Coordinates of all heavy atoms in Angstrom, one line a residue:
K1 N -9.1 10.2 -5.6 CA -9.0 8.7 -5.6 C -8.0 8.3 -4.5 O -7.2 9.1 -4.0 CB -8.6 8.2 -6.9 CG -7.1 8.4 -7.3 CD -6.7 7.8 -8.6 CE -5.2 8.0 -8.8 NZ -4.8 7.3 -10.0
Y2 N -8.0 7.0 -4.2 CA -7.0 6.5 -3.3 C -6.1 5.5 -4.2 O -6.6 4.8 -5.0 CB -7.6 5.6 -2.2 CG -8.3 6.4 -1.2 CD1 -9.7 6.4 -1.1 CD2 -7.6 7.1 -0.2 CE1 -10.4 7.1 -0.2 CE2 -8.3 7.8 0.8 CZ -9.7 7.8 0.8 OH -10.4 8.5 1.7
T3 N -4.8 5.4 -3.8 CA -3.9 4.4 -4.4 C -3.3 3.6 -3.3 O -2.7 4.2 -2.4 CB -2.8 5.1 -5.2 OG1 -3.4 5.9 -6.3 CG2 -1.9 4.0 -5.8
L4 N -3.5 2.3 -3.3 CA -3.0 1.4 -2.3 C -1.9 0.6 -3.0 O -2.1 0.0 -4.1 CB -4.1 0.5 -1.8 CG -3.5 -0.5 -0.8 CD1 -3.6 0.1 0.6 CD2 -4.3 -1.8 -0.8
M5 N -0.7 0.6 -2.4 CA 0.4 -0.2 -2.9 C 0.9 -1.1 -1.8 O 0.9 -0.7 -0.6 CB 1.6 0.7 -3.3 CG 1.2 1.7 -4.5 SD 2.5 2.8 -4.9 CE 2.3 4.0 -3.6
Y6 N 1.3 -2.3 -2.1 CA 1.9 -3.2 -1.1 C 3.0 -4.1 -1.7 O 2.9 -4.4 -2.9 CB 0.9 -3.9 -0.3 CG 0.0 -4.9 -1.1 CD1 0.3 -6.3 -1.1 CD2 -1.0 -4.5 -1.9 CE1 -0.5 -7.1 -1.8 CE2 -1.8 -5.3 -2.6 CZ -1.5 -6.7 -2.6 OH -2.3 -7.5 -3.3
S7 N 4.0 -4.4 -0.9 CA 5.1 -5.3 -1.4 C 5.8 -5.9 -0.2 O 5.6 -5.4 1.0 CB 6.1 -4.4 -2.2 OG 7.2 -5.1 -2.5
E8 N 6.6 -6.9 -0.4 CA 7.4 -7.4 0.6 C 8.7 -6.6 0.8 O 9.5 -6.9 1.8 CB 7.8 -8.9 0.3 CG 6.6 -9.8 0.3 CD 7.0 -11.2 0.0 OE1 8.1 -11.6 0.2 OE2 6.1 -12.0 -0.5
N9 N 8.9 -5.6 0.0 CA 10.1 -4.7 0.1 C 9.6 -3.3 0.3 O 8.5 -2.9 -0.2 CB 10.9 -4.8 -1.2 CG 11.4 -6.2 -1.4 OD1 12.2 -6.7 -0.6 ND2 11.1 -6.8 -2.5
P10 N 10.4 -2.4 1.0 CA 9.9 -1.0 1.2 C 9.6 -0.3 -0.1 O 10.2 -0.6 -1.2 CB 11.2 -0.4 1.8 CG 11.9 -1.5 2.5 CD 11.7 -2.7 1.6
I11 N 8.6 0.5 -0.1 CA 8.0 1.2 -1.2 C 8.3 2.7 -1.1 O 8.6 3.4 -2.1 CB 6.5 1.0 -1.4 CG1 6.2 -0.5 -1.5 CG2 6.0 1.8 -2.5 CD1 4.7 -0.8 -1.4
Y12 N 8.1 3.2 0.1 CA 8.0 4.7 0.3 C 9.0 5.2 1.3 O 9.2 4.6 2.4 CB 6.6 5.0 0.8 CG 6.3 6.4 1.1 CD1 6.2 7.4 0.2 CD2 6.2 6.8 2.4 CE1 6.0 8.7 0.5 CE2 5.9 8.1 2.8 CZ 5.8 9.1 1.8 OH 5.6 10.4 2.2
D13 N 9.7 6.2 1.0 CA 10.6 6.9 1.9 C 10.4 8.4 1.8 O 10.8 9.0 0.8 CB 12.1 6.6 1.6 CG 13.1 7.2 2.5 OD1 12.7 8.1 3.3 OD2 14.3 6.8 2.5
E14 N 9.8 9.0 2.8 CA 9.4 10.4 2.7 C 10.6 11.3 2.6 O 10.5 12.5 2.2 CB 8.5 10.8 3.8 CG 9.2 10.8 5.2 CD 8.2 11.1 6.3 OE1 7.7 12.3 6.3 OE2 7.9 10.3 7.1
Y15 N 11.8 10.9 2.9 CA 13.0 11.7 2.9 C 13.8 11.5 1.6 O 14.8 12.2 1.4 CB 13.9 11.4 4.1 CG 13.1 11.6 5.4 CD1 12.8 10.6 6.2 CD2 12.8 12.9 5.8 CE1 12.1 10.8 7.4 CE2 12.1 13.1 7.0 CZ 11.7 12.0 7.8 OH 11.0 12.2 8.9
A16 N 13.4 10.6 0.8 CA 14.2 10.3 -0.5 C 13.6 11.0 -1.7 O 12.5 11.5 -1.6 CB 14.2 8.8 -0.7
I17 N 14.4 11.1 -2.7 CA 13.9 11.6 -4.0 C 14.3 10.6 -5.0 O 15.5 10.4 -5.2 CB 14.5 13.0 -4.3 CG1 14.0 14.0 -3.3 CG2 14.1 13.5 -5.7 CD1 14.6 15.4 -3.4
P18 N 13.4 10.0 -5.7 CA 11.9 10.1 -5.5 C 11.5 9.4 -4.3 O 12.2 8.5 -3.8 CB 11.4 9.4 -6.8 CG 12.4 8.4 -7.1 CD 13.8 9.0 -6.8
K19 N 10.3 9.7 -3.8 CA 9.8 9.2 -2.5 C 9.3 7.7 -2.7 O 9.3 6.9 -1.8 CB 8.6 10.0 -2.0 CG 9.1 11.4 -1.6 CD 7.9 12.2 -1.1 CE 8.3 13.6 -0.7 NZ 9.2 13.7 0.3
F20 N 8.9 7.4 -3.9 CA 8.3 6.0 -4.2 C 9.3 5.2 -5.0 O 9.9 5.7 -6.0 CB 7.0 6.1 -4.9 CG 5.9 6.7 -4.2 CD1 5.6 8.1 -4.3 CD2 5.2 6.0 -3.3 CE1 4.6 8.7 -3.6 CE2 4.2 6.6 -2.5 CZ 3.9 7.9 -2.7
R21 N 9.5 4.0 -4.6 CA 10.3 3.0 -5.4 C 9.4 2.4 -6.4 O 8.3 2.1 -6.2 CB 10.9 2.0 -4.4 CG 11.7 0.9 -5.1 CD 12.2 -0.2 -4.1 NE 11.1 -0.9 -3.5 CZ 10.5 -2.0 -4.1 NH1 10.8 -2.3 -5.3 NH2 9.6 -2.6 -3.5
S22 N 10.0 2.1 -7.6 CA 9.2 1.4 -8.6 C 9.7 0.0 -8.7 O 10.8 -0.3 -8.3 CB 9.3 2.1 -9.9 OG 10.6 2.1 -10.4
G23 N 8.9 -0.9 -9.2 CA 9.3 -2.3 -9.3 C 8.2 -3.2 -9.6 O 7.0 -2.9 -9.3
N24 N 8.5 -4.4 -10.3 CA 7.4 -5.3 -10.6 C 6.9 -6.0 -9.4 O 5.8 -6.7 -9.5 CB 8.0 -6.4 -11.6 CG 8.3 -5.8 -12.9 OD1 7.8 -4.7 -13.3 ND2 9.3 -6.4 -13.6
D25 N 7.5 -6.0 -8.3 CA 7.0 -6.6 -7.0 C 6.0 -5.8 -6.3 O 5.4 -6.3 -5.4 CB 8.2 -6.9 -6.1 CG 8.9 -5.6 -5.6 OD1 9.2 -4.8 -6.4 OD2 9.1 -5.5 -4.4
I26 N 5.7 -4.6 -6.7 CA 4.7 -3.7 -6.0 C 3.4 -3.9 -6.7 O 3.2 -3.8 -7.9 CB 5.2 -2.3 -6.1 CG1 6.5 -2.0 -5.5 CG2 4.1 -1.4 -5.5 CD1 7.1 -0.7 -5.7
K27 N 2.4 -4.3 -5.9 CA 1.0 -4.4 -6.3 C 0.3 -3.0 -6.1 O 0.5 -2.4 -5.0 CB 0.3 -5.5 -5.6 CG 1.0 -6.8 -5.8 CD 0.1 -8.0 -5.8 CE 1.0 -9.2 -6.1 NZ 0.4 -10.4 -5.8
V28 N -0.4 -2.5 -7.1 CA -1.0 -1.2 -7.1 C -2.5 -1.4 -7.3 O -2.9 -2.0 -8.3 CB -0.4 -0.3 -8.1 CG1 -1.0 1.1 -8.0 CG2 1.1 -0.1 -7.9
L29 N -3.3 -0.8 -6.4 CA -4.7 -0.8 -6.6 C -5.2 0.7 -6.5 O -4.9 1.4 -5.5 CB -5.4 -1.6 -5.5 CG -4.9 -3.0 -5.3 CD1 -5.4 -3.6 -4.0 CD2 -5.4 -3.9 -6.5
D30 N -6.0 1.1 -7.5 CA -6.6 2.5 -7.4 C -8.1 2.3 -7.1 O -8.8 1.5 -7.7 CB -6.4 3.2 -8.8 CG -5.0 3.6 -9.0 OD1 -4.4 4.1 -8.1 OD2 -4.6 3.5 -10.2
F31 N -8.6 3.2 -6.3 CA -10.0 3.3 -5.9 C -10.5 4.7 -6.1 O -9.9 5.6 -5.6 CB -10.2 2.9 -4.4 CG -9.7 1.5 -4.1 CD1 -8.4 1.3 -3.6 CD2 -10.5 0.4 -4.3 CE1 -7.9 0.1 -3.4 CE2 -10.0 -0.9 -4.0 CZ -8.7 -1.0 -3.6
Y32 N -11.7 4.7 -6.7 CA -12.3 6.0 -7.0 C -13.5 6.3 -6.1 O -14.0 7.4 -6.0 CB -12.7 6.1 -8.5 CG -11.5 6.1 -9.4 CD1 -10.9 5.0 -9.8 CD2 -10.8 7.3 -9.7 CE1 -9.8 5.0 -10.6 CE2 -9.7 7.4 -10.4 CZ -9.2 6.2 -10.9 OH -8.0 6.2 -11.7
D33 N -13.9 5.2 -5.4 CA -15.0 5.4 -4.4 C -14.4 5.7 -3.0 O -13.9 4.9 -2.3 CB -15.8 4.0 -4.3 CG -16.9 4.1 -3.2 OD1 -17.1 5.2 -2.6 OD2 -17.5 3.1 -3.0
I34 N -14.3 7.0 -2.7 CA -13.6 7.5 -1.5 C -14.4 7.1 -0.3 O -13.9 7.3 0.8 CB -13.2 9.0 -1.6 CG1 -14.5 9.8 -1.6 CG2 -12.3 9.2 -2.7 CD1 -14.2 11.3 -1.4
K35 N -15.6 6.6 -0.4 CA -16.4 6.2 0.8 C -16.0 4.8 1.2 O -16.4 4.4 2.3 CB -17.9 6.3 0.5 CG -18.3 7.7 0.3 CD -19.8 7.8 0.0 CE -20.1 9.3 -0.2 NZ -21.5 9.5 -0.6
R36 N -15.3 4.1 0.4 CA -14.8 2.7 0.7 C -13.8 2.8 1.8 O -12.8 3.5 1.7 CB -14.3 2.0 -0.5 CG -13.9 0.6 -0.3 CD -13.4 0.0 -1.5 NE -13.2 -1.4 -1.3 CZ -13.1 -2.3 -2.3 NH1 -13.2 -2.0 -3.5 NH2 -12.9 -3.6 -2.0
T37 N -14.0 2.1 2.9 CA -13.1 2.3 4.1 C -12.5 0.9 4.4 O -11.6 0.9 5.3 CB -13.9 2.8 5.3 OG1 -14.9 1.9 5.6 CG2 -14.4 4.2 5.1
K38 N -12.8 -0.2 3.7 CA -12.2 -1.5 4.0 C -11.8 -2.2 2.8 O -12.5 -2.0 1.7 CB -13.2 -2.3 4.8 CG -13.6 -1.8 6.2 CD -14.5 -2.8 6.9 CE -14.9 -2.2 8.2 NZ -15.7 -3.1 9.0
L39 N -10.7 -2.9 2.9 CA -10.3 -3.7 1.7 C -9.6 -4.9 2.3 O -8.7 -4.8 3.2 CB -9.3 -2.9 0.9 CG -8.7 -3.7 -0.3 CD1 -9.7 -4.0 -1.4 CD2 -7.5 -3.0 -0.9
R40 N -9.8 -6.1 1.8 CA -9.2 -7.3 2.2 C -8.1 -7.7 1.2 O -8.4 -7.9 0.0 CB -10.2 -8.5 2.4 CG -9.5 -9.7 2.9 CD -10.6 -10.8 3.0 NE -11.8 -10.3 3.6 CZ -12.3 -10.7 4.8 NH1 -11.7 -11.7 5.4 NH2 -13.4 -10.2 5.3
L41 N -6.9 -7.8 1.6 CA -5.8 -8.3 0.8 C -5.7 -9.8 0.9 O -5.5 -10.3 2.0 CB -4.5 -7.7 1.2 CG -4.4 -6.1 1.1 CD1 -3.1 -5.6 1.6 CD2 -4.7 -5.7 -0.3
T42 N -5.9 -10.5 -0.2 CA -6.1 -12.0 -0.1 C -4.9 -12.8 -0.6 O -4.9 -14.0 -0.4 CB -7.4 -12.4 -0.8 OG1 -7.2 -12.0 -2.2 CG2 -8.6 -11.9 -0.2
D43 N -4.0 -12.2 -1.2 CA -2.9 -12.9 -1.8 C -1.6 -12.8 -1.1 O -0.5 -12.7 -1.7 CB -2.7 -12.5 -3.3 CG -2.4 -11.0 -3.5 OD1 -2.6 -10.3 -2.5 OD2 -2.0 -10.6 -4.6
L44 N -1.6 -12.7 0.2 CA -0.4 -12.5 1.1 C 0.1 -13.8 1.5 O -0.6 -14.8 1.7 CB -0.8 -11.6 2.3 CG -1.4 -10.2 2.0 CD1 -1.7 -9.5 3.3 CD2 -0.5 -9.4 1.1
N45 N 1.4 -13.9 1.7 CA 2.1 -15.1 2.2 C 2.2 -15.1 3.7 O 2.3 -14.0 4.3 CB 3.5 -15.1 1.6 CG 3.6 -15.2 0.1 OD1 2.8 -16.0 -0.5 ND2 4.4 -14.4 -0.5
P46 N 2.1 -16.3 4.3 CA 2.1 -16.3 5.8 C 3.6 -16.0 6.3 O 4.5 -16.1 5.5 CB 1.8 -17.8 6.1 CG 2.0 -18.5 4.8 CD 1.8 -17.6 3.7
S47 N 3.6 -15.5 7.5 CA 4.9 -15.2 8.2 C 5.8 -14.3 7.3 O 7.0 -14.5 7.2 CB 5.7 -16.5 8.5 OG 4.9 -17.4 9.3
T48 N 5.2 -13.3 6.8 CA 5.9 -12.3 5.9 C 5.6 -10.9 6.3 O 4.5 -10.6 6.6 CB 5.4 -12.6 4.4 OG1 5.6 -14.0 4.1 CG2 6.2 -11.7 3.4
K49 N 6.7 -10.1 6.2 CA 6.5 -8.6 6.5 C 6.1 -8.0 5.2 O 6.7 -8.2 4.1 CB 7.8 -8.0 7.0 CG 7.6 -6.5 7.3 CD 8.9 -5.8 7.6 CE 9.3 -6.1 9.0 NZ 10.5 -5.3 9.5
Y50 N 5.1 -7.1 5.2 CA 4.6 -6.4 4.1 C 4.7 -4.9 4.4 O 4.5 -4.4 5.5 CB 3.2 -6.7 3.7 CG 3.1 -8.0 3.0 CD1 2.9 -9.2 3.7 CD2 3.2 -8.1 1.6 CE1 2.8 -10.4 3.0 CE2 3.1 -9.3 0.9 CZ 2.9 -10.5 1.7 OH 2.9 -11.7 1.0
Y51 N 5.0 -4.1 3.3 CA 5.0 -2.7 3.4 C 3.7 -2.2 2.6 O 3.6 -2.6 1.4 CB 6.2 -2.1 2.8 CG 7.5 -2.6 3.5 CD1 8.1 -3.8 3.2 CD2 8.0 -1.8 4.5 CE1 9.2 -4.2 3.9 CE2 9.1 -2.2 5.2 CZ 9.7 -3.4 4.9 OH 10.8 -3.8 5.6
I52 N 2.9 -1.4 3.3 CA 1.6 -1.0 2.7 C 1.6 0.5 2.7 O 1.9 1.2 3.7 CB 0.4 -1.5 3.5 CG1 0.5 -3.1 3.5 CG2 -0.9 -1.0 2.9 CD1 -0.6 -3.7 4.3
V53 N 1.3 1.1 1.5 CA 1.3 2.6 1.4 C 0.0 3.0 0.8 O -0.5 2.4 -0.2 CB 2.4 3.0 0.5 CG1 2.4 4.5 0.2 CG2 3.8 2.7 1.0
L54 N -0.7 4.0 1.4 CA -1.9 4.5 0.9 C -1.8 6.0 0.6 O -1.3 6.7 1.5 CB -3.0 4.3 2.0 CG -4.4 4.8 1.6 CD1 -5.0 3.9 0.5 CD2 -5.4 4.7 2.8
T55 N -2.1 6.4 -0.6 CA -2.1 7.8 -1.0 C -3.5 8.3 -1.4 O -4.2 7.6 -2.1 CB -1.1 7.9 -2.2 OG1 0.2 7.5 -1.8 CG2 -1.0 9.4 -2.6
F56 N -3.8 9.4 -0.8 CA -5.1 10.1 -1.2 C -4.7 11.2 -2.2 O -3.8 12.0 -1.9 CB -5.8 10.7 0.0 CG -6.9 11.6 -0.3 CD1 -8.1 11.0 -0.8 CD2 -6.8 12.9 -0.2 CE1 -9.1 11.9 -1.1 CE2 -7.8 13.8 -0.6 CZ -9.0 13.3 -1.0
H57 N -5.4 11.2 -3.3 CA -5.2 12.2 -4.3 C -6.4 13.1 -4.4 O -7.5 12.6 -4.6 CB -5.0 11.6 -5.7 CG -4.0 10.5 -5.8 ND1 -2.6 10.8 -6.0 CD2 -4.0 9.2 -5.6 CE1 -2.0 9.6 -6.0 NE2 -2.8 8.6 -5.7
S58 N -6.2 14.4 -4.1 CA -7.3 15.3 -4.1 C -7.6 15.9 -5.5 O -6.7 15.8 -6.4 CB -7.1 16.5 -3.1 OG -6.0 17.3 -3.5
R59 N -8.7 16.4 -5.7 CA -9.1 17.0 -7.1 C -8.2 18.1 -7.5 O -8.0 18.4 -8.6 CB -10.5 17.4 -7.1 CG -11.5 16.3 -7.0 CD -12.9 16.7 -7.0 NE -13.7 15.6 -6.6 CZ -15.0 15.5 -7.0 NH1 -15.6 16.5 -7.7 NH2 -15.7 14.5 -6.6
D60 N -7.6 18.9 -6.5 CA -6.8 20.0 -6.8 C -5.4 19.6 -7.1 O -4.5 20.5 -7.3 CB -6.9 21.1 -5.7 CG -6.3 20.6 -4.4 OD1 -5.8 19.5 -4.3 OD2 -6.4 21.4 -3.4
G61 N -5.1 18.3 -7.1 CA -3.7 17.9 -7.5 C -2.8 17.6 -6.3 O -1.7 17.1 -6.4
G62 N -3.3 17.9 -5.1 CA -2.6 17.6 -3.9 C -2.7 16.1 -3.5 O -3.5 15.3 -4.1
S63 N -1.8 15.6 -2.6 CA -1.9 14.3 -2.2 C -1.3 14.1 -0.7 O -0.6 15.0 -0.3 CB -1.1 13.3 -3.1 OG 0.3 13.7 -3.0
S64 N -1.7 13.1 -0.1 CA -1.3 12.8 1.2 C -1.0 11.3 1.3 O -1.8 10.5 0.8 CB -2.4 13.1 2.3 OG -2.0 12.7 3.6
T65 N 0.2 10.9 1.9 CA 0.6 9.5 1.8 C 0.9 9.0 3.2 O 1.5 9.7 4.0 CB 1.8 9.3 0.9 OG1 1.5 9.7 -0.4 CG2 2.3 7.9 0.9
E66 N 0.5 7.8 3.6 CA 0.9 7.1 4.8 C 1.3 5.7 4.5 O 0.8 5.1 3.6 CB -0.3 7.1 5.8 CG -0.8 8.4 6.3 CD 0.3 9.0 7.2 OE1 1.0 8.3 7.9 OE2 0.3 10.3 7.3
G67 N 2.3 5.2 5.3 CA 2.8 3.9 5.1 C 2.9 3.1 6.4 O 3.1 3.8 7.4
I68 N 2.7 1.8 6.3 CA 2.8 1.0 7.5 C 3.5 -0.3 7.1 O 3.6 -0.7 6.0 CB 1.5 0.7 8.2 CG1 0.6 -0.1 7.2 CG2 0.8 1.9 8.7 CD1 -0.6 -0.7 7.9
E69 N 4.1 -1.0 8.1 CA 4.6 -2.3 8.0 C 3.8 -3.2 8.8 O 3.4 -2.9 9.9 CB 6.1 -2.3 8.5 CG 7.0 -1.4 7.8 CD 8.4 -1.4 8.5 OE1 8.7 -2.4 9.2 OE2 9.1 -0.5 8.3
V70 N 3.4 -4.4 8.2 CA 2.6 -5.4 8.9 C 3.3 -6.8 8.7 O 4.0 -7.0 7.7 CB 1.2 -5.4 8.4 CG1 0.5 -4.1 8.7 CG2 1.1 -5.7 7.0
Q71 N 3.1 -7.6 9.7 CA 3.6 -9.0 9.6 C 2.4 -9.9 9.6 O 1.5 -9.9 10.4 CB 4.4 -9.3 10.8 CG 4.9 -10.7 11.0 CD 6.1 -11.0 10.1 OE1 6.9 -10.1 9.8 NE2 6.3 -12.2 9.6
T72 N 2.3 -10.8 8.6 CA 1.2 -11.8 8.5 C 1.5 -12.9 9.5 O 2.6 -13.2 9.9 CB 1.1 -12.3 7.1 OG1 2.3 -12.9 6.6 CG2 0.6 -11.3 6.1
G73 N 0.4 -13.6 9.9 CA 0.6 -14.7 10.8 C 1.0 -16.0 10.2 O 1.1 -16.1 9.0
V74 N 1.2 -16.9 11.1 CA 1.6 -18.3 10.7 C 0.3 -19.1 10.4 O -0.6 -19.0 11.2 CB 2.4 -19.0 11.9 CG1 2.8 -20.4 11.5 CG2 3.6 -18.1 12.2
V75 N 0.4 -19.9 9.4 CA -0.8 -20.7 9.0 C -0.5 -22.1 9.6 O 0.5 -22.7 9.4 CB -0.9 -20.9 7.5 CG1 -2.0 -21.9 7.1 CG2 -1.2 -19.5 6.9
D76 N -1.5 -22.6 10.4 CA -1.4 -23.9 11.0 C -1.7 -25.0 9.9 O -2.6 -24.8 9.1 CB -2.4 -24.1 12.1 CG -2.1 -23.2 13.3 OD1 -0.9 -22.9 13.5 OD2 -3.0 -22.8 14.0
E77 N -0.9 -26.0 9.8 CA -1.1 -27.0 8.8 C -1.8 -28.2 9.4 O -1.7 -28.5 10.5 CB 0.2 -27.4 8.2 CG 0.8 -26.3 7.5 CD 2.1 -26.7 6.7 OE1 2.2 -27.9 6.3 OE2 2.9 -25.9 6.5

């Protein structure tokens, strides 16, 4: 499965223990269809930095995690 997490605050630090921060501000989505390659996040605020973390969980119990930071654009009024 894949686990996608995102927040306006950092979530993941590969050098820390624990590596993942917990909190009510983190949105978590689990996907069991590993062929799914696209997802649209629709509840993001304009002009905001987001931290997005994707973890792949293998059947043998292993996992691989990647994180990125993205900035949403400005909405014209």
